[in-house]
Amino acid sequence: KETEDQLIIDAGQKHFGTTVCKSCGMIYTASNPEDELQHVRHHHRFLEGIKYTGWKKERVVAEFWDGKIVLVLPHDPSYAIRKVEDVQELVDNELGFHQVVPRCPNKTKTFLFISDDKKVVGCLIAEPIKQAFRVLSEPTGPESASSKECHRAWQCSDVPQPAVCGISRIWVFRLKRRKRIARRLVDTLRNRFMFGCFLSTDEIAFSDPTPDGKLFATKYCNT
Ligand code: ACO
């Protein structure tokens, strides 16, 4: 039987097999020239994209021991908008989103988590919505295996629920995950989305969640 596994010869190379780059987080096969080239390309673009030099007029909406959250609004100076566009491009590449344009670009709020070493390590993009559809719990029968294969085809209820805020993107840099950065971004969003009120978890909705996004949302919203 033919196997699709890629074989690698151990000829005593310095790096061998699967490697995770400690700066850009890309997983690649060191010793495979094609993979190494792809890594070099991604590495520079990624680090340039997430570099944050600081702005004179930045809107800091939360501060933590390991970084801060900056809010960017649609009419902010072009340097801030450009940074958001660069980060969104990286995020969309990772999520496999292509040219997903926000429904109301003038009302979009973008929250960037900036690490102490001046990198954008988290991003949340939110927009106002009026309704959302609950993801139904997964079937547990034998057919559930196929639903896992087509990752994002969650079954949704067709009964609309009133909602206020849609999270169109949430992303945390691979090497910084499980440090509650996403949780802090959503907490901050709930506090800052509408002036003077703290949104309940029923009022926020995650659009088209990935498997990671669904696991996070389920835990965050206790659903
Ligand atoms: N598997 C299981 N549980 C998870 C996962 C996961 N991958 N991620 C988060 N959780 C749960 C955990 O219970 C976690 O608490 P714990 O670490 O104490 O157990 C809790 O959620 C809080 O997690 P955070 O640390 O706040 O989440 P993190 O900062 O790692 O970010 C995120 C989560 C944004 C989903 C990240 O994994 C990511 O960027 N993934 C790739 C991009 C992506 O898929 N984004 C979602 C797209 S959907 C959308 O944009 C609407």
Side-chain angles (χ1 to χ4, degrees):
K1 184 184 164 224
E2 265 191 39
T3 158
E4 288 181 7
D5 290 348
Q6 172 73 55
L7 301 176
I8 303 162
I9 298 169
D10 181 356
Q13 306 89 316
K14 209 159 140 207
H15 302 292
F16 185 73
T18 309
T19 308
V20 181
C21 174
K22 289 197 183 81
S23 320
C24 75
M26 181 168 164
I27 302 165
Y28 66 103
T29 310
S31 77
N32 175 330
E34 233 173 79
D35 253 29
E36 294 215 27
L37 185 65
Q38 282 234 347
H39 168 234
V40 171
R41 280 199 194 123
H42 172 81
H43 188 94
H44 294 295
R45 213 163 151 233
F46 183 83
L47 292 185
E48 197 49 43
I50 64 168
K51 191 164 80 185
Y52 178 88
T53 45
W55 303 323
K56 248 188 263 161
K57 281 193 192 166
E58 56 181 24
R59 198 178 289 103
V60 178
V61 287
E63 286 191 271
F64 304 99
W65 61 98
D66 55 349
K68 62 186 173 190
I69 296 178
V70 170
L71 169 62
V72 181
L73 298 175
H75 300 297
D76 279 354
S78 54
Y79 52 78
I81 302 295
R82 226 175 300 125
K83 178 51 63 182
V84 164
E85 285 170 357
D86 286 353
V87 174
Q88 188 176 334
E89 196 186 325
L90 294 170
V91 173
D92 284 0
N93 273 340
E94 191 174 328
L95 293 177
F97 285 1
H98 295 291
Q99 295 181 323
V100 181
V101 192
R103 261 157 296 187
C104 26
N106 284 336
K107 292 183 179 160
T108 302
K109 291 191 163 97
T110 304
F111 295 82
L112 300 176
F113 194 107
I114 314 293
S115 64
D116 279 343
D117 57 351
K118 295 191 184 321
K119 294 198 177 93
V120 180
V121 295
C123 170
L124 185 160
I125 305 180
E127 56 190 341
I129 54 169
K130 294 208 161 59
Q131 60 179 35
F133 299 86
R134 276 190 197 285
V135 171
L136 300 174
S137 50
E138 298 240 298
T140 45
E143 26 354 323
S144 61
S146 61
S147 77
K148 279 205 189 89
E149 275 157 27
C150 49
H151 293 317
R152 304 220 328 232
W154 316 117
Q155 246 192 34
C156 291
S157 152
D158 45 18
V159 183
Q161 306 278 328
V164 173
C165 169
I167 297 177
S168 76
R169 314 276 194 295
I170 181 157
W171 166 89
V172 171
F173 174 34
R174 192 186 297 281
L175 302 177
K176 297 280 185 184
R177 289 184 191 159
R178 305 302 286 266
K179 295 180 190 299
R180 312 211 147 197
I181 291 180
R183 182 177 279 279
R184 286 180 272 166
L185 280 165
V186 182
D187 285 347
T188 308
L189 162 78
R190 289 169 63 195
N191 200 15
R192 298 294 299 220
F193 193 74
M194 264 170 77
F195 183 74
C197 71
F198 188 72
L199 297 181
S200 76
T201 52
D202 282 342
E203 290 171 307
I204 57 172
F206 292 78
S207 75
D208 191 14
T210 56
D212 268 354
K214 187 165 175 265
L215 286 163
F216 166 74
T218 307
K219 182 75 185 180
Y220 185 88
C221 299
N222 266 325
T223 49

